[in-house]
Amino acid sequence: MQGKPNSDNAALMARRTQAVARGVGQAHAVFIARGRNAELWDVEGRRYIDFAGGIAVLNTGHSHPVIVEAVKAQLDAYSHTCFQVLAYEPYVELAERLIALAPGNFAKKALFLSTGAEAVENAVKIARAYTKRPGLIAFTGGYHGRTLLTLGLTGKVAPYKVGFGPFPGEVFHAQFPNPLHGVSVEDALASVELIFKNDIEAERVAAFIVEPVQGEGGFYIAPKAFIAGLKALADRHGILLIADEVQTGAGRTGTWFASEQWPVAPDIITTAKSMAGGFPISGVVGRAEVMDAPAPGGLGGTYAGSPLGCAAALAVLRVFEEEKLLARAQVLGERLIAGLKAIAAKVPAIQDVRGLGAMVAIELCQGGDLNRPDAELTRRVIAEAARRGLILLSCGSYGNVIRILVPLTAPDAQIDEGLQILADSLQAMQ
Ligand SMILES: Cc1ncc(COP(=O)(O)O)c(C=O)c1O
């Protein structure tokens, strides 16, 4: 073991506070020693069930043996050449696999990067190169990353954008449809038209970028009618539709890409997180003629599509097939929704239980009033659950949503154990 001895969580937190910039947040004051599938053990030997999955990265669980083996084999062969210098087959094979999986009855191409934000940046570069237009329309509550362009696209100020502006221009936000909170599909589409009237003419807009299910924004699902309406607007004005699937992708919602469930296919999809089961790689998949708009040399990056990431992603695809994880996501989602609804029946603060596949959340409000989000209760429940051995994460513009991103590979017994801890924590904190 390197460095100073790992004494305990408190001692490590003290060192972290001294040495690490405070802008890097931390949901739990816990230092991890080992993870296997949906279980974690901290440096003090305490066991946790992981319902956070490293923020949607571990659909195949911690250290899945098939993925670990694939990465080890890749490491033994070669670990880096930079694809733009010397190419390697796993990159090409991964592109072939993902373009076959992506929705849309048209020719597609892919490229790989390292992070979700980088995938979004590249999707925008490609859309601008193809349309020769600058404008971008994103949505309220959307989250697209922490680089300056992706922060510009992100539709939530605190904590992400505070102090970091100015952000790139020609980025506008329309309303994300949220019938639960009084924003209808018609309202949302009308807000796009208002941008064309007030901010930028449609003929200068390159792309709409939207999450099929808002991740950081609160697990609100984009209604199919909204997507159909958005695509109609896009077609009318020559605008591209980008699906940001960094959080929804890689099987979380019961299909490999959540946009497979859309009534229309997006022109470009971004993917990252769970596509490689914990190894840093991201990708952009889209219409071949769109993807080929940038000239050679316009796209890439030193570590972009690293051999280790490609090997891990191909192993993830193998695990999905062997363990039938798409079907599992559906069944797991139903189990979670049923369990959470049973809890909600006894906890008035839970005002909504929702999900798409295994991307599931509950929303907590004061006095049963959806207009009074209860971020404080959410924080206390999550802390109590951690004390009882369950790792949870919040999300939502008001911090009052608890999201569940447990590995799809988790056994039912651990799902039920986690739900019981959540129920007990809610009861204890009411
Ligand atoms: C929808 C979406 N887009 C982009 C990102 C940014 O990904 P990364 O943190 O890998 O840069 C995230 C991360 O949470 C995300 O959920």
Side-chain angles (χ1 to χ4, degrees), residues 81-290:
T81 63
C82 184
F83 191 75
Q84 295 120 268
V85 178
L86 293 171
Y88 35 91
E89 189 180 356
Y91 187 119
V92 179
E93 188 183 346
L94 185 60
E96 290 166 347
R97 295 294 306 274
L98 291 190
I99 63 180
L101 283 165
N105 193 16
F106 42 77
K108 299 179 200 92
K109 287 194 172 183
L111 92 144
F112 299 109
L113 298 312
S114 303
T115 67
E118 225 187 328
V120 173
E121 293 259 355
N122 278 271
V124 167
K125 283 167 64 178
I126 292 165
R128 282 181 168 166
Y130 179 76
T131 59
K132 301 187 173 52
R133 300 172 177 190
L136 300 166
I137 296 182
F139 292 88
T140 50
Y143 180 85
H144 301 286
R146 291 180 185 274
T147 60
L148 282 170
L149 173 62
T150 57
L151 278 178
L153 292 166
T154 289
K156 179 181 176 187
V157 174
Y160 310 121
K161 298 167 88 153
V162 175
F164 298 137
F167 303 107
E170 307 286 31
V171 176
F172 305 93
H173 288 93
Q175 280 191 299
F176 188 83
N178 190 336
L180 187 69
H181 289 283
V183 183
S184 68
V185 166
E186 294 71 29
D187 295 336
L189 292 172
S191 76
V192 175
E193 305 251 30
L194 267 184
I195 289 175
F196 296 155
K197 187 171 155 56
N198 295 336
D199 300 304
I200 185 171
E201 62 272 39
E203 294 66 35
R204 289 185 62 245
V205 175
F208 298 126
I209 179 161
V210 63
E211 295 160 87
V213 182
Q214 287 196 325
E216 304 306 301
F219 278 34
Y220 298 108
I221 302 162
K224 287 186 178 148
F226 169 69
I227 295 298
L230 198 60
K231 177 70 172 148
L233 279 175
D235 288 347
R236 190 173 324 143
H237 298 292
I239 297 169
L240 297 175
L241 180 57
I242 303 173
D244 184 351
E245 295 235 31
V246 167
Q247 192 150 160
T248 53
R252 188 77 220 165
T253 67
T255 45
W256 182 260
F257 292 111
S259 56
E260 290 172 57
Q261 300 172 52
W262 282 3
V264 292
D267 300 294
I268 301 177
I269 300 173
T270 57
T271 179
K273 290 192 184 269
S274 271
M275 70 178 277
F279 292 87
I281 184 170
S282 64
V284 183
V285 184
R287 276 183 195 276
E289 76 265 25
V290 174

Side-chain angles (χ1 to χ4, degrees), residues 339-353 362-369 374 377-378 381 402 419-430:
L340 292 169
K341 283 195 167 154
I343 297 172
K346 296 187 205 133
V347 179
I350 302 178
Q351 276 303 298
D352 195 41
V353 176
I362 54 175
E363 184 158 339
L364 301 178
C365 303
Q366 291 172 34
D369 180 355
D374 204 338
L377 176 64
T378 307
V381 168
I402 296 178
L419 285 172
Q420 189 58 53
I421 295 173
L422 175 57
D424 294 345
S425 305
L426 281 156
Q427 288 291 351
M429 292 297 114
Q430 276 201 98

